Amino acid sequence: MMKAKDSNVVELQPLVDTTSSSSSSSKDERSSFAKSIIASTLYSGCSIGMVLVNKSLASSYNHLIDGDLNILLVVFQAVAAVICVEFSKFMGWVEYPNFNSRTARSWAPVNIFFCGMLFTGMASMQHNSVPMVTVFKNITNIMTTIGDCILYGAAIEVLVMAAFGIMLLGAIFAARNDADVTQTGLFWMLGNCLCTSGYVLYLKYATKTVKLSKFGMVFYNNVLCTCFLLPVTMFNGELSIFLNTSALHTVDYGVKNAFAGFVGFFLNFASLNCVAQTGPTTYAMIGSLNKIPIAIIGYLIFDNDISPETWRFICVSLCGGILYTVAKLRAGKRKSRN
């Protein structure tokens, strides 16, 4: 009888372990899904906020200068972000090691790609129409998805590629009346596609291999950004324009830039967290979909006109976003069942 009883216990034990394992796996899936939603929402909100703050700065002060201060604004905001993260460390709210040149060298490619993305993006806007830039931005998303598959083994969902395809077709349709492309414009746009895709893909690699907390990454990201871009502002004359324009030396301008840096601090953290939690493909999709609320809020706050082509692009982008969400939900369910 004892043997039979022992046998029953042995037979029942695997059933108990399997149930417990299944329940634990289900909880992990729900937790991962919730983290992905939070990371995506935080990144989207910070990204939209950053664009609107910069737009407010540009609309308030660009008429006072001959040219623009686009790169210098990035430097101001990077310095403000460094001050924010260093203050947080001083107060004991966050922790990361002091500056180390070896760590900086490991993180530097992220900033090199970022600077390349910034410069080629500005150059492409000078030689291409906005609709054509939007077309190439959608091509960049497809490049990022393919790169995510090749470099990190991410599965390419048919519905995900269909979603990107729909958004690309919508952008092409919106640009059909303004599709002139010069060789110079094409060169800069292709360079921007490569730099943007490289930035997102290397960012995922860096967040996994560089042994830093997210706040440490924010620190290095903004310190190196300042080191790379400040000399550029001296070379292209933006720093000189700022120093010689007394109308910009106001408390209001300083406060707005400080607030932009504060938003940028959170945007840096949100970007790193979003790539780590969701991957480059979702990060790229969120960047594309952000254009919808930005266009609508710009219309409501800054009285920006929205053309019929833009409204059609918004509708098509929404369809692509919904299809992408469905694809990810289905993939999550399949993963949970397996």
Side-chain angles (χ1 to χ4, degrees), residues 154-283:
I156 296 184
E157 300 284 336
V158 175
L159 286 181
V160 169
M161 295 308 293
F164 281 128
I166 287 173
M167 295 177 71
L168 176 59
L169 289 174
I172 292 173
F173 180 75
R176 71 190 189 281
N177 295 325
D178 194 6
D180 293 331
V181 180
T182 64
Q183 289 184 344
T184 304
L186 183 61
F187 170 80
W188 287 117
M189 265 319 320
L190 290 176
N192 185 249
C193 290
L194 291 173
C195 289
T196 304
S197 187
Y199 170 73
V200 178
L201 292 170
Y202 191 86
L203 190 61
K204 179 176 181 177
Y205 172 78
T207 55
K208 291 181 178 294
T209 57
V210 180
K211 303 303 179 184
L212 281 172
S213 67
K214 293 293 189 299
F215 291 100
M217 293 177 185
V218 171
F219 170 74
Y220 277 95
N221 197 48
N222 286 283
V223 167
L224 292 174
C225 183
T226 303
C227 293
F228 287 146
L229 294 181
L230 184 58
V232 175
T233 64
M234 299 176 184
F235 178 76
N236 69 5
E238 288 188 18
L239 184 61
S240 177
I241 291 173
F242 172 75
L243 293 176
N244 294 323
T245 307
S246 58
L248 300 180
H249 305 161
T250 63
V251 174
D252 181 67
Y253 189 75
V255 169
K256 285 185 176 180
N257 270 290
F259 179 72
F262 184 69
V263 176
F265 163 68
F266 284 104
L267 176 59
N268 269 244
F269 175 81
S271 299
L272 295 166
N273 192 45
C274 183
V275 171
Q277 292 291 338
T278 66
T281 302
T282 299
Y283 180 87

Side-chain angles (χ1 to χ4, degrees), residues 132-151:
M132 284 308 300
V133 171
T134 304
V135 170
F136 278 95
K137 289 290 185 184
N138 282 279
I139 293 174
T140 303
N141 293 341
I142 296 174
M143 289 171 57
T144 302
T145 303
I146 295 172
D148 195 16
C149 173
I150 295 172
L151 297 176

